Amino acid sequence: MQVVVVGSGYSGTLVANRVARKVKDAEVTVINPRPDFVERVRLHQQIAGTYSAATPLAEVLREGITARVGTVDKIGEGTVALADGERIDFDYAFLAVGSTVSPIPGTVPVGTWEGAQQARAALAALTAGDHVTVIGGGPTGIETAAEIAEARPDLRVRLIGSSVGGGLSSGAHRRVRAGLERLTVEIIDDEVAEVGSGATDIVRLRSGREMASDLTLWAIVSGVPDLAARSGLEVDVRGRAVVDEFLRSVSDQRIFAVGDCAAVPGARFACYTAYRRPFTPPTTSLACSRAASPNRIPSRTSAAASRWAGRTR
């Protein structure tokens, strides 16, 4: 049985390892744009230089799984077509391309590996007193602002969102904001209208306020890659593949969609959507815990990442 997994983030890695373990005659191929498994919920630490969020796929995939570095152009009719022209046939495929970001001009996205690397280099070049502006009041924005403020207390960090921490419970909301204030993060409950780039960015808010920024980071997840739609699979209004109760595409039952790119009723963007069903979202993220607690959360080692990914389960 030929099984292809497109994407090796949290969901794709879990799926590949579980299929390889449970289906003895399966030949599993994982196609990923880079040779590493990236812990997306640790990208804020990658930016701050406090943790390496990338682990070689060989360390998290079970023995016997083939890892192929490449970009998928289209999937369907039993074939995965790569951007370089290669075609890989499958009996079953798993679409696990995750979610993506659409940063406004003048900002650096923190939700992708490439953006995190760019942000890390830019952050390292800043000097004492420079301003870092993080746009996005959800978990990603909170964790990014908190991590940078803790790692670089010499910088001035501000966090902008229509309601910073507003999606949390009232108690968690208070603790997170208190933690951010303890880290001297300036909290601004407003929306960003635009960012004018130059020698120094000018961040303009809906309220009319303007402020200078030496590094402006975009910390909002806003959609999914268009691979499913581009391949002709039925998608919802957000571009996620429409699936049945078994996560099979309603357009092609040889294709399963897992993780953020699947339109699972009641689910939201999170790294747990391929882990168990029914989906139960975590109450807070590592990031929010960091902001709400003065104690540092231990970094996950590569061995622990392998266990989490299901390689040794």
Side-chain angles (χ1 to χ4, degrees):
M1 182 187 296
Q2 302 296 320
V3 178
V4 175
V5 180
V6 181
S8 190
Y10 296 101
S11 299
T13 301
L14 281 167
V15 164
N17 285 336
R18 289 190 170 195
V19 170
R21 177 166 59 90
K22 290 179 174 293
V23 186
K24 300 305 180 182
D25 64 339
E27 294 183 8
V28 182
T29 299
V30 172
I31 304 172
N32 199 54
R34 62 188 62 84
D36 299 308
F37 164 70
V38 174
E39 294 183 75
R40 185 166 181 172
V41 299
R42 295 301 186 105
L43 285 179
H44 59 290
Q45 292 176 296
Q46 180 73 25
I47 292 170
T50 58
Y51 179 77
S52 177
T55 302
L57 285 174
E59 295 185 24
V60 297
L61 293 176
R62 293 178 66 88
E63 184 177 352
I65 296 177
T66 299
R68 169 73 161 80
V69 177
T71 301
V72 174
D73 182 60
K74 190 175 181 181
I75 181 173
E77 299 181 354
T79 300
V80 171
L82 303 184
D84 63 4
E86 182 180 354
R87 300 175 71 85
I88 300 175
D89 294 334
F90 63 81
D91 295 300
Y92 294 98
F94 290 85
L95 189 62
V97 293
S99 53
T100 188
V101 295
S102 300
I104 62 175
T107 66
V108 179
V110 303
T112 66
W113 173 254
E114 293 75 15
Q117 288 293 78
Q118 181 183 348
R120 179 172 180 152
L123 183 68
L126 298 182
T127 57
D130 284 348
H131 287 87
V132 177
T133 302
V134 179
I135 302 173
T140 301
I142 293 169
E143 63 197 2
T144 302
E147 191 73 28
I148 292 175
E150 184 179 43
R152 291 291 304 273
D154 59 317
L155 300 176
R156 301 178 182 180
V157 182
R158 62 171 69 100
L159 176 60
I160 304 174
S162 58
S163 177
V164 174
L168 304 174
S169 67
S170 58
H173 179 260
R174 290 192 298 271
R175 290 189 62 195
V176 164
R177 290 178 74 99
L180 290 170
E181 291 171 359
R182 183 176 60 251
L183 293 169
T184 68
V185 175
E186 179 186 3
I187 302 173
I188 301 174
D189 291 305
D190 202 339
E191 294 184 3
V192 174
E194 63 177 344
V195 176
S197 59
T200 300
D201 296 337
I202 300 298
V203 179
R204 300 182 177 88
L205 305 183
R206 296 292 183 188
S207 62
R209 180 181 174 185
E210 295 186 355
M211 58 196 73
S213 177
D214 298 288
L215 175 60
T216 309
L217 304 177
W218 183 261
I220 301 174
V221 176
S222 55
V224 299
D226 66 350
L227 177 58
R230 193 168 67 244
S231 299
L233 302 180
E234 183 177 342
V235 298
D236 67 1
V237 294
R238 303 177 71 176
R240 302 176 301 178
V242 177
V243 296
D244 64 15
E245 60 180 319
F246 301 109
L247 300 183
R248 296 176 301 194
S249 165
V250 297
S251 303
D252 187 339
Q253 294 204 340
R254 292 170 294 181
I255 299 175
F256 293 79
V258 297
D260 287 348
C261 67
V264 181
R268 64 176 175 81
F269 288 141
C271 58
Y272 285 89
T273 54
Y275 185 67
R276 59 180 179 266
R277 187 174 171 274
F279 171 68
T280 304
T283 54
T284 60
S285 67
L286 293 174
C288 296
S289 298
R290 168 63 60 79
S293 172
N295 299 318
R296 189 170 185 83
I297 297 173
S299 295
R300 185 182 292 120
T301 63
S302 294
S306 296
R307 290 194 297 273
W308 188 95
R311 177 181 178 179
T312 57
R313 293 181 180 180

